[in-house]
Coordinates of all heavy atoms in Angstrom, one line a residue:
G447 N -1.6 -14.5 -32.8 CA -0.5 -13.7 -32.5 C 0.4 -14.3 -31.4 O 0.1 -15.3 -30.8
T448 N 1.5 -13.8 -31.3 CA 2.5 -14.3 -30.3 C 2.2 -13.8 -28.9 O 1.9 -12.6 -28.7 CB 3.9 -13.7 -30.7 OG1 4.2 -14.2 -32.0 CG2 5.0 -14.3 -29.8
T449 N 2.2 -14.7 -28.0 CA 2.0 -14.3 -26.6 C 3.1 -13.5 -26.1 O 4.3 -13.8 -26.3 CB 1.8 -15.5 -25.7 OG1 0.7 -16.3 -26.3 CG2 1.5 -15.2 -24.3
Q450 N 2.9 -12.4 -25.4 CA 3.9 -11.5 -24.9 C 3.8 -11.5 -23.4 O 2.8 -11.7 -22.8 CB 3.7 -10.0 -25.4 CG 3.8 -9.9 -26.9 CD 5.3 -9.8 -27.3 OE1 6.0 -9.0 -26.8 NE2 5.6 -10.7 -28.2
V451 N 5.0 -11.2 -22.7 CA 5.1 -11.0 -21.3 C 5.8 -9.7 -21.1 O 6.4 -9.1 -22.0 CB 5.9 -12.1 -20.6 CG1 5.2 -13.5 -20.7 CG2 7.3 -12.2 -21.1
T452 N 5.6 -9.1 -19.9 CA 6.4 -7.9 -19.5 C 7.5 -8.4 -18.7 O 7.4 -9.1 -17.7 CB 5.5 -7.0 -18.7 OG1 4.4 -6.6 -19.6 CG2 6.2 -5.7 -18.3
V453 N 8.7 -7.8 -19.0 CA 10.0 -8.1 -18.3 C 10.2 -6.9 -17.4 O 10.3 -5.8 -17.9 CB 11.1 -8.4 -19.2 CG1 12.4 -8.7 -18.4 CG2 10.8 -9.6 -20.1
V454 N 10.4 -7.1 -16.1 CA 10.7 -6.0 -15.2 C 12.1 -6.1 -14.6 O 12.4 -7.2 -14.1 CB 9.6 -6.1 -14.0 CG1 9.9 -5.0 -13.0 CG2 8.2 -6.1 -14.5
H455 N 12.9 -5.1 -14.8 CA 14.2 -5.0 -14.3 C 14.2 -3.9 -13.2 O 13.9 -2.8 -13.5 CB 15.3 -4.7 -15.3 CG 15.5 -5.8 -16.3 ND1 16.3 -6.8 -16.1 CD2 14.9 -6.0 -17.5 CE1 16.3 -7.7 -17.1 NE2 15.5 -7.2 -18.0
T456 N 14.6 -4.3 -12.0 CA 14.6 -3.3 -10.9 C 15.5 -3.9 -9.8 O 15.5 -5.1 -9.5 CB 13.2 -3.0 -10.4 OG1 13.4 -2.1 -9.3 CG2 12.4 -4.2 -9.9
S457 N 16.2 -3.1 -9.1 CA 17.0 -3.5 -7.9 C 16.0 -3.8 -6.8 O 16.4 -4.6 -5.8 CB 18.0 -2.5 -7.5 OG 17.3 -1.3 -7.2
E458 N 14.8 -3.4 -6.9 CA 13.8 -3.6 -5.8 C 12.8 -4.7 -6.3 O 11.6 -4.6 -6.2 CB 13.0 -2.3 -5.5 CG 13.9 -1.2 -5.0 CD 13.2 0.0 -4.7 OE1 12.3 0.0 -3.8 OE2 13.4 1.1 -5.4
W459 N 13.4 -5.8 -6.8 CA 12.6 -6.9 -7.3 C 11.6 -7.5 -6.3 O 10.5 -7.9 -6.7 CB 13.4 -7.9 -8.0 CG 14.3 -8.7 -7.1 CD1 15.6 -8.5 -6.8 CD2 13.9 -9.9 -6.4 NE1 16.0 -9.4 -5.9 CE2 15.0 -10.3 -5.6 CE3 12.7 -10.6 -6.3 CZ2 15.0 -11.4 -4.8 CZ3 12.7 -11.7 -5.4 CH2 13.8 -12.1 -4.7
A460 N 12.0 -7.6 -5.1 CA 11.2 -8.2 -4.0 C 9.9 -7.3 -3.8 O 8.8 -7.8 -3.7 CB 11.9 -8.4 -2.7
A461 N 10.1 -6.0 -3.8 CA 8.9 -5.1 -3.7 C 8.1 -5.2 -4.9 O 6.8 -5.2 -4.8 CB 9.4 -3.6 -3.5
A462 N 8.7 -5.2 -6.1 CA 7.9 -5.3 -7.3 C 7.1 -6.6 -7.4 O 6.0 -6.7 -7.7 CB 8.8 -5.2 -8.5
F463 N 7.8 -7.7 -6.9 CA 7.1 -9.0 -6.9 C 5.9 -9.0 -6.0 O 4.8 -9.5 -6.4 CB 8.1 -10.1 -6.4 CG 7.6 -11.5 -6.5 CD1 8.0 -12.3 -7.6 CD2 6.8 -12.1 -5.6 CE1 7.5 -13.6 -7.7 CE2 6.3 -13.4 -5.7 CZ 6.7 -14.1 -6.8
G464 N 6.0 -8.3 -4.8 CA 4.9 -8.2 -3.9 C 3.8 -7.4 -4.5 O 2.6 -7.8 -4.3
L465 N 4.1 -6.3 -5.1 CA 3.0 -5.4 -5.7 C 2.3 -6.2 -6.8 O 1.1 -6.1 -6.9 CB 3.7 -4.1 -6.2 CG 4.2 -3.2 -5.2 CD1 5.0 -2.1 -5.9 CD2 3.0 -2.5 -4.4
L466 N 3.0 -6.8 -7.7 CA 2.4 -7.5 -8.8 C 1.6 -8.7 -8.3 O 0.5 -9.0 -8.8 CB 3.5 -7.9 -9.8 CG 4.2 -6.7 -10.5 CD1 5.4 -7.2 -11.2 CD2 3.3 -5.9 -11.3
S467 N 2.1 -9.4 -7.3 CA 1.4 -10.6 -6.8 C 0.1 -10.1 -6.1 O -1.0 -10.7 -6.3 CB 2.2 -11.3 -5.7 OG 3.3 -11.9 -6.3
A468 N 0.1 -9.0 -5.4 CA -1.1 -8.5 -4.7 C -2.1 -8.0 -5.7 O -3.3 -8.1 -5.5 CB -0.7 -7.3 -3.8
A469 N -1.6 -7.7 -6.9 CA -2.6 -7.3 -8.0 C -3.1 -8.5 -8.8 O -3.8 -8.3 -9.8 CB -1.9 -6.3 -8.9
G470 N -2.6 -9.7 -8.4 CA -3.1 -10.9 -9.1 C -2.4 -11.2 -10.4 O -2.9 -11.9 -11.2
M471 N -1.2 -10.6 -10.6 CA -0.5 -10.7 -11.9 C 0.4 -11.9 -12.0 O 1.0 -12.2 -13.1 CB 0.2 -9.5 -12.2 CG -0.7 -8.3 -12.5 SD 0.3 -6.9 -13.1 CE -1.0 -5.7 -13.2
Q472 N 0.7 -12.7 -11.0 CA 1.5 -13.9 -11.0 C 2.9 -13.7 -11.6 O 3.2 -14.3 -12.6 CB 0.8 -15.0 -11.7 CG -0.5 -15.4 -11.0 CD -1.3 -16.4 -11.8 OE1 -1.1 -16.6 -13.0 NE2 -2.1 -17.1 -11.1
P473 N 3.7 -12.8 -11.0 CA 5.1 -12.6 -11.6 C 5.9 -13.9 -11.3 O 5.7 -14.7 -10.4 CB 5.6 -11.4 -10.8 CG 4.9 -11.5 -9.5 CD 3.5 -12.0 -9.8
A474 N 6.9 -14.0 -12.1 CA 7.9 -15.1 -12.0 C 9.3 -14.5 -12.0 O 9.6 -13.7 -12.8 CB 7.8 -16.2 -13.1
L475 N 10.1 -15.0 -11.1 CA 11.5 -14.5 -11.0 C 12.3 -15.3 -12.0 O 12.3 -16.5 -12.0 CB 12.1 -14.7 -9.6 CG 13.5 -14.2 -9.3 CD1 13.6 -12.7 -9.6 CD2 13.9 -14.5 -7.9
A476 N 13.0 -14.6 -12.9 CA 13.8 -15.2 -13.9 C 15.2 -14.5 -13.9 O 15.3 -13.4 -14.5 CB 13.2 -15.1 -15.3
G477 N 16.1 -15.1 -13.2 CA 17.4 -14.5 -13.1 C 17.3 -13.3 -12.2 O 16.8 -13.4 -11.1
R478 N 17.6 -12.1 -12.7 CA 17.5 -10.9 -12.0 C 16.3 -10.0 -12.4 O 16.2 -8.9 -12.0 CB 18.8 -10.0 -12.1 CG 20.0 -10.7 -11.6 CD 21.2 -9.8 -11.7 NE 22.4 -10.5 -11.3 CZ 23.6 -10.0 -11.2 NH1 23.7 -8.7 -11.6 NH2 24.6 -10.7 -10.8
A479 N 15.4 -10.6 -13.2 CA 14.2 -9.9 -13.7 C 13.0 -10.7 -13.3 O 13.0 -11.8 -12.9 CB 14.3 -9.8 -15.2
L480 N 11.9 -10.0 -13.4 CA 10.6 -10.6 -13.2 C 9.9 -10.7 -14.6 O 10.1 -9.8 -15.4 CB 9.7 -9.7 -12.3 CG 10.2 -9.5 -10.9 CD1 9.2 -8.5 -10.1 CD2 10.2 -10.8 -10.1
R481 N 9.2 -11.7 -14.8 CA 8.4 -11.9 -16.0 C 7.0 -12.0 -15.6 O 6.6 -12.8 -14.7 CB 8.9 -13.1 -16.8 CG 10.3 -13.0 -17.3 CD 10.8 -14.2 -18.0 NE 10.1 -14.5 -19.2 CZ 10.4 -14.0 -20.5 NH1 11.4 -13.2 -20.6 NH2 9.7 -14.4 -21.5
V482 N 6.1 -11.2 -16.3 CA 4.7 -11.1 -15.9 C 3.8 -11.3 -17.1 O 4.1 -10.6 -18.1 CB 4.4 -9.7 -15.2 CG1 3.0 -9.7 -14.7 CG2 5.4 -9.4 -14.2
R483 N 2.8 -12.1 -17.1 CA 1.9 -12.3 -18.2 C 0.8 -11.3 -18.2 O -0.4 -11.6 -18.1 CB 1.3 -13.7 -18.2 CG 2.4 -14.8 -18.5 CD 1.8 -16.1 -18.4 NE 1.2 -16.4 -17.1 CZ 1.0 -17.6 -16.6 NH1 1.3 -18.6 -17.2 NH2 0.5 -17.7 -15.3
S484 N 1.2 -10.0 -18.2 CA 0.3 -8.9 -18.2 C 0.9 -7.8 -19.1 O 2.1 -7.7 -19.2 CB 0.1 -8.3 -16.8 OG -0.5 -9.3 -16.0
P485 N 0.1 -7.0 -19.7 CA 0.6 -5.9 -20.6 C 1.5 -4.9 -19.8 O 1.3 -4.7 -18.6 CB -0.7 -5.2 -21.1 CG -1.8 -6.2 -20.9 CD -1.4 -7.0 -19.7
V486 N 2.5 -4.4 -20.6 CA 3.4 -3.4 -20.0 C 2.7 -2.3 -19.3 O 3.0 -1.9 -18.2 CB 4.4 -2.9 -21.1 CG1 5.2 -1.7 -20.5 CG2 5.3 -4.0 -21.6
A487 N 1.6 -1.7 -19.9 CA 0.9 -0.6 -19.3 C 0.3 -1.0 -18.0 O 0.4 -0.2 -17.0 CB -0.2 -0.1 -20.3
D488 N -0.3 -2.2 -17.8 CA -0.9 -2.6 -16.6 C 0.2 -2.8 -15.5 O 0.0 -2.4 -14.3 CB -1.6 -3.9 -16.8 CG -2.9 -3.8 -17.6 OD1 -3.2 -2.6 -17.9 OD2 -3.4 -4.8 -18.0
V489 N 1.3 -3.4 -15.9 CA 2.4 -3.6 -14.9 C 3.0 -2.2 -14.5 O 3.2 -2.0 -13.3 CB 3.6 -4.4 -15.6 CG1 4.8 -4.5 -14.6 CG2 3.0 -5.9 -15.8
A490 N 3.2 -1.3 -15.4 CA 3.7 0.0 -15.1 C 2.8 0.7 -14.1 O 3.2 1.3 -13.1 CB 3.9 0.8 -16.4
M491 N 1.5 0.7 -14.4 CA 0.5 1.3 -13.5 C 0.5 0.7 -12.1 O 0.4 1.5 -11.1 CB -0.9 1.2 -14.1 CG -2.0 2.0 -13.4 SD -3.6 2.0 -14.2 CE -3.9 0.3 -14.5
T492 N 0.6 -0.6 -12.0 CA 0.6 -1.2 -10.7 C 1.9 -0.8 -9.9 O 1.8 -0.5 -8.7 CB 0.6 -2.8 -10.9 OG1 -0.7 -3.1 -11.6 CG2 0.6 -3.5 -9.6
L493 N 3.0 -0.8 -10.6 CA 4.2 -0.5 -9.9 C 4.2 1.0 -9.5 O 4.6 1.3 -8.3 CB 5.5 -0.8 -10.8 CG 5.7 -2.3 -11.1 CD1 6.9 -2.4 -12.0 CD2 5.9 -3.1 -9.8
R494 N 3.8 1.9 -10.3 CA 3.7 3.3 -10.0 C 2.8 3.5 -8.8 O 3.1 4.3 -7.9 CB 3.3 4.1 -11.2 CG 4.4 4.5 -12.1 CD 4.0 5.6 -13.1 NE 2.9 5.3 -13.9 CZ 2.9 4.7 -15.1 NH1 4.1 4.4 -15.6 NH2 1.8 4.4 -15.7
A495 N 1.6 2.9 -8.8 CA 0.6 3.0 -7.8 C 1.2 2.5 -6.4 O 0.8 3.0 -5.4 CB -0.6 2.2 -8.1
G496 N 2.2 1.6 -6.5 CA 2.8 1.1 -5.3 C 4.0 1.9 -4.9 O 4.8 1.5 -4.0
G497 N 4.3 3.0 -5.6 CA 5.5 3.8 -5.3 C 6.8 3.3 -5.8 O 7.9 3.8 -5.4
L498 N 6.8 2.4 -6.8 CA 8.0 1.9 -7.4 C 8.1 2.4 -8.8 O 7.6 1.9 -9.8 CB 7.9 0.3 -7.4 CG 9.2 -0.4 -7.7 CD1 10.3 -0.1 -6.7 CD2 8.9 -1.9 -7.8
D499 N 8.8 3.6 -8.9 CA 8.9 4.3 -10.2 C 10.2 4.0 -11.0 O 10.2 4.3 -12.2 CB 8.9 5.8 -10.0 CG 7.5 6.2 -9.4 OD1 6.5 5.7 -9.8 OD2 7.5 7.1 -8.5
G500 N 11.2 3.4 -10.4 CA 12.5 3.2 -11.1 C 12.6 1.9 -11.9 O 13.7 1.7 -12.4
A501 N 11.6 1.1 -12.1 CA 11.8 -0.1 -12.8 C 11.8 0.1 -14.3 O 11.2 1.0 -14.9 CB 10.6 -1.0 -12.5
S502 N 12.6 -0.7 -15.0 CA 12.7 -0.7 -16.5 C 11.8 -1.9 -17.0 O 11.9 -3.0 -16.5 CB 14.1 -1.0 -16.9 OG 14.2 -1.2 -18.3
L503 N 10.9 -1.5 -17.9 CA 9.9 -2.5 -18.4 C 10.0 -2.7 -19.9 O 10.3 -1.7 -20.6 CB 8.5 -2.0 -18.1 CG 8.1 -1.7 -16.7 CD1 6.7 -1.2 -16.6 CD2 8.3 -2.8 -15.7
S504 N 9.9 -3.9 -20.3 CA 9.9 -4.2 -21.8 C 9.0 -5.4 -22.1 O 8.8 -6.2 -21.2 CB 11.3 -4.4 -22.3 OG 11.9 -5.5 -21.6
A505 N 8.5 -5.4 -23.3 CA 7.7 -6.6 -23.7 C 8.7 -7.6 -24.4 O 9.7 -7.2 -25.0 CB 6.7 -6.1 -24.7
A506 N 8.4 -8.9 -24.2 CA 9.2 -9.9 -24.7 C 8.3 -11.1 -25.1 O 7.2 -11.3 -24.5 CB 10.2 -10.4 -23.7
P507 N 8.7 -11.9 -26.0 CA 7.9 -13.1 -26.3 C 7.8 -14.0 -25.1 O 8.8 -14.2 -24.4 CB 8.6 -13.8 -27.5 CG 9.5 -12.7 -28.1 CD 9.8 -11.8 -26.9
A508 N 6.7 -14.6 -24.9 CA 6.6 -15.6 -23.8 C 7.4 -16.9 -24.2 O 7.5 -17.2 -25.3 CB 5.1 -16.0 -23.6
T509 N 7.9 -17.5 -23.1 CA 8.6 -18.7 -23.3 C 7.6 -19.8 -23.6 O 6.4 -19.6 -23.3 CB 9.4 -19.1 -22.1 OG1 8.5 -19.3 -21.0 CG2 10.5 -18.0 -21.7
L510 N 8.0 -21.0 -24.0 CA 7.1 -22.1 -24.2 C 6.4 -22.5 -22.9 O 5.2 -22.7 -22.9 CB 7.9 -23.3 -24.8 CG 7.1 -24.6 -25.0 CD1 6.0 -24.3 -26.1 CD2 8.0 -25.7 -25.5
A511 N 7.1 -22.5 -21.8 CA 6.5 -22.8 -20.5 C 5.5 -21.8 -20.1 O 4.4 -22.1 -19.7 CB 7.6 -22.9 -19.4
E512 N 5.8 -20.5 -20.4 CA 4.8 -19.4 -20.0 C 3.5 -19.5 -20.9 O 2.4 -19.3 -20.4 CB 5.4 -18.0 -20.2 CG 6.5 -17.7 -19.2 CD 7.3 -16.5 -19.5 OE1 7.5 -16.2 -20.7 OE2 7.8 -15.9 -18.6
T513 N 3.7 -19.9 -22.1 CA 2.5 -20.1 -23.0 C 1.8 -21.3 -22.7 O 0.6 -21.3 -22.5 CB 3.0 -20.1 -24.5 OG1 3.7 -18.9 -24.8 CG2 1.8 -20.3 -25.4
F514 N 2.5 -22.4 -22.5 CA 1.8 -23.7 -22.2 C 1.1 -23.8 -20.9 O 0.0 -24.3 -20.8 CB 2.9 -24.8 -22.2 CG 2.3 -26.2 -22.1 CD1 1.6 -26.8 -23.1 CD2 2.4 -26.9 -20.9 CE1 1.1 -28.1 -23.0 CE2 1.9 -28.2 -20.8 CZ 1.2 -28.8 -21.8
F515 N 1.6 -23.2 -19.9 CA 1.0 -23.2 -18.5 C 0.1 -22.0 -18.2 O -0.2 -21.8 -17.1 CB 2.1 -23.4 -17.4 CG 2.7 -24.7 -17.5 CD1 4.1 -24.8 -17.9 CD2 2.0 -25.8 -17.1 CE1 4.7 -26.1 -17.9 CE2 2.6 -27.1 -17.2 CZ 3.9 -27.2 -17.6
D516 N -0.2 -21.2 -19.2 CA -1.1 -20.1 -19.0 C -2.5 -20.5 -19.2 O -3.0 -20.6 -20.4 CB -0.7 -19.0 -20.0 CG -1.5 -17.7 -19.9 OD1 -2.4 -17.7 -18.9 OD2 -1.3 -16.8 -20.6
P517 N -3.3 -20.6 -18.1 CA -4.7 -21.0 -18.3 C -5.5 -20.0 -19.0 O -6.5 -20.4 -19.7 CB -5.2 -21.2 -16.8 CG -4.1 -20.9 -15.9 CD -2.9 -20.5 -16.8
A518 N -5.1 -18.7 -19.0 CA -5.9 -17.7 -19.7 C -5.6 -17.8 -21.3 O -6.4 -17.2 -22.0 CB -5.4 -16.3 -19.2
A519 N -4.6 -18.5 -21.7 CA -4.3 -18.6 -23.1 C -5.4 -19.5 -23.8 O -5.5 -19.4 -25.1 CB -2.9 -19.2 -23.3
S520 N -6.1 -20.3 -23.1 CA -7.1 -21.1 -23.7 C -8.4 -20.4 -23.8 O -8.9 -20.0 -22.8 CB -7.2 -22.4 -22.9 OG -8.3 -23.2 -23.5
R521 N -9.0 -20.3 -25.0 CA -10.3 -19.6 -25.1 C -11.4 -20.5 -24.8 O -12.5 -20.1 -24.5 CB -10.4 -19.1 -26.5 CG -9.4 -18.0 -26.8 CD -9.7 -17.4 -28.2 NE -8.6 -16.6 -28.6 CZ -8.5 -15.3 -28.3 NH1 -9.4 -14.7 -27.6 NH2 -7.5 -14.6 -28.8
D522 N -11.2 -21.9 -24.7 CA -12.3 -22.8 -24.4 C -12.4 -23.1 -23.0 O -13.2 -24.0 -22.6 CB -12.1 -24.1 -25.3 CG -10.9 -24.8 -25.0 OD1 -10.2 -24.5 -24.0 OD2 -10.7 -25.8 -25.7
G523 N -11.5 -22.5 -22.1 CA -11.6 -22.8 -20.7 C -10.9 -24.0 -20.3 O -10.9 -24.4 -19.1
A524 N -10.2 -24.7 -21.2 CA -9.6 -26.0 -20.8 C -8.1 -25.8 -20.5 O -7.4 -26.8 -20.3 CB -9.7 -27.0 -22.0
G525 N -7.7 -24.6 -20.4 CA -6.3 -24.3 -20.1 C -5.7 -25.0 -18.9 O -4.6 -25.5 -18.8
A526 N -6.5 -25.0 -17.8 CA -6.1 -25.6 -16.5 C -5.9 -27.1 -16.7 O -5.0 -27.7 -16.1 CB -7.0 -25.3 -15.4
D527 N -6.6 -27.7 -17.6 CA -6.5 -29.2 -17.8 C -5.1 -29.5 -18.5 O -4.7 -30.7 -18.4 CB -7.6 -29.7 -18.7 CG -9.0 -29.6 -18.0 OD1 -9.0 -29.5 -16.8 OD2 -10.0 -29.5 -18.7
R528 N -4.5 -28.6 -19.1 CA -3.2 -28.9 -19.8 C -2.1 -29.0 -18.8 O -1.0 -29.5 -19.2 CB -2.9 -27.7 -20.8 CG -3.8 -27.7 -22.0 CD -3.4 -26.7 -22.9 NE -3.9 -25.4 -22.5 CZ -3.5 -24.2 -22.9 NH1 -2.5 -24.1 -23.7 NH2 -4.1 -23.1 -22.4
R529 N -2.3 -28.8 -17.5 CA -1.3 -28.9 -16.5 C -1.2 -30.4 -16.1 O -0.2 -30.7 -15.4 CB -1.6 -28.1 -15.3 CG -1.6 -26.6 -15.6 CD -1.9 -25.8 -14.4 NE -2.0 -24.4 -14.7 CZ -1.6 -23.4 -14.0 NH1 -1.0 -23.7 -12.8 NH2 -1.7 -22.2 -14.4
T530 N -2.1 -31.2 -16.4 CA -2.1 -32.6 -15.9 C -1.9 -33.6 -17.1 O -2.4 -33.3 -18.2 CB -3.4 -33.0 -15.1 OG1 -4.5 -32.8 -16.0 CG2 -3.5 -32.1 -13.9
V531 N -1.3 -34.7 -16.8 CA -1.1 -35.7 -17.8 C -2.0 -36.9 -17.4 O -1.8 -37.4 -16.3 CB 0.3 -36.1 -18.0 CG1 0.5 -37.2 -19.0 CG2 1.2 -34.9 -18.4
P532 N -2.9 -37.4 -18.2 CA -3.7 -38.5 -17.9 C -2.8 -39.7 -17.6 O -1.8 -40.0 -18.2 CB -4.6 -38.8 -19.1 CG -4.5 -37.5 -19.9 CD -3.2 -36.9 -19.6
A533 N -3.3 -40.6 -16.6 CA -2.5 -41.8 -16.2 C -2.8 -42.9 -17.2 O -3.7 -42.9 -17.9 CB -2.9 -42.2 -14.9

C-alpha cells in the first residue's frame, strides 16, 4: 500500500510541533504545515489532549523522502541502514 502521512494546518504550528514531538511522532515543518508519519486519528488525539482543538488534519501520500528515510517502513529492521551510503 501507499505510505500516508498526516498533514496538520494550524496557526499554532509551534505548539502542535511541540505536542507531536513530545509524543514521539517526529513532525516535520513543510511550508506552513506539519507533516507527521502517524495516522490522522493518533495525531488528532495527541493535539486534543494537549488542548489544541483548532487544527485541520488530512491524510496525504508520503513524499519519496518521507518514505525512504522512514526506519519504520522496513519490516526487516534494516531501515536505519538506508540512511548511509557505503564508502
Side-chain angles (χ1 to χ4, degrees):
T448 302
T449 302
Q450 296 281 306
V451 297
T452 299
V453 180
V454 180
H455 291 276
T456 178
S457 60
E458 299 181 64
W459 66 266
F463 190 97
L465 290 168
L466 296 168
S467 292
M471 293 189 185
Q472 302 177 333
L475 184 60
R478 296 182 185 183
L480 298 175
R481 294 178 64 89
V482 188
R483 292 179 299 203
S484 297
V486 172
D488 293 349
V489 172
M491 184 172 55
T492 299
L493 295 177
R494 276 195 303 268
L498 192 63
D499 294 323
S502 171
L503 308 177
S504 60
T509 64
L510 180 60
E512 288 167 333
T513 301
F514 184 73
F515 290 111
D516 182 2
S520 173
R521 294 184 191 274
D522 63 5
D527 295 336
R528 289 183 279 163
R529 295 177 187 222
T530 59
V531 177

